[in-house]
Amino acid sequence: MSDAEFYASAMAGLPSLIARWLEIGDASPDRLGIILADTARIAKLGEPATDPDGATLARWATAAVEADRPPLWAVKATLFLLSQMPARPCPQDDAQRDGWAWAWLRLRRWESYEQARDALPSWLLEALGEHLQRAWRDRQRQRLL
């Protein structure tokens, strides 16, 4: 897989994070938006200007065009929350695995691939495997976003 193919695959997989949050979150979609934005602020994963409503989350979860793709703070906050859930949600296909791995590497400033890998919950490490390696290579290329 080329660098461009990985990035495109990862971007296509990002909406699955929001979709999974909507699927297993234990609140109304509007409340899940508030939780997501508050988590981003508290965990210092981003500073959303407003709390997304349920319709916005639904649009992000099914993003077919780049303009509807979830913002980075939302992706990071969602993965942060999903990685702590007892349900142990996992990505289902390669694009989702690429997206989740890409998002994991943006949660913190990892000093090394090994540090990022070792911080993953074991069940997510098993699901992401080589996708995390590809995401690390992509991250090291310092793409301007």
Side-chain angles (χ1 to χ4, degrees):
M1 172 180 285
S2 73
D3 294 344
E5 290 170 329
F6 170 82
Y7 185 75
S9 178
M11 294 303 101
L14 291 180
S16 70
L17 284 159
I18 306 296
R20 194 71 168 122
W21 174 240
L22 285 170
E23 180 184 329
I24 64 175
D26 191 19
S28 71
D30 286 340
R31 180 78 181 125
L32 291 173
I34 293 167
I35 293 167
L36 200 60
D38 284 348
T39 298
R41 292 180 192 108
I42 292 167
K44 300 193 183 318
L45 301 172
E47 287 294 329
T50 60
D51 298 342
D53 60 16
T56 300
L57 291 181
R59 190 177 72 251
W60 290 347
T62 58
V65 296
E66 186 174 341
D68 289 337
R69 188 179 303 144
L72 183 57
W73 69 261
V75 169
K76 290 170 28 174
T78 303
L79 186 55
F80 178 82
L81 292 166
L82 291 176
S83 70
Q84 298 176 54
M85 294 185 110
R88 296 183 172 193
C90 287
Q92 301 300 310
D93 61 33
D94 283 340
Q96 290 179 12
R97 287 180 191 91
D98 288 341
W100 289 38
W102 185 91
W104 180 259
L105 293 180
R106 276 137 187 93
L107 278 177
R108 295 194 177 101
R109 292 200 180 275
W110 308 104
E111 296 295 322
S112 67
Y113 166 77
E114 291 76 19
Q115 183 187 38
R117 181 197 63 213
D118 293 348
L120 266 172
S122 60
W123 49 273
L124 264 180
L125 178 58
E126 185 177 318
L128 298 180
E130 75 223 27
H131 300 270
L132 190 64
Q133 292 174 334
R134 284 197 294 267
W136 181 259
R137 284 192 301 271
D138 179 77
R139 177 78 172 158
Q140 295 306 104
R141 287 182 174 76
Q142 301 297 314
R143 178 185 329 280
L144 297 176
L145 301 176

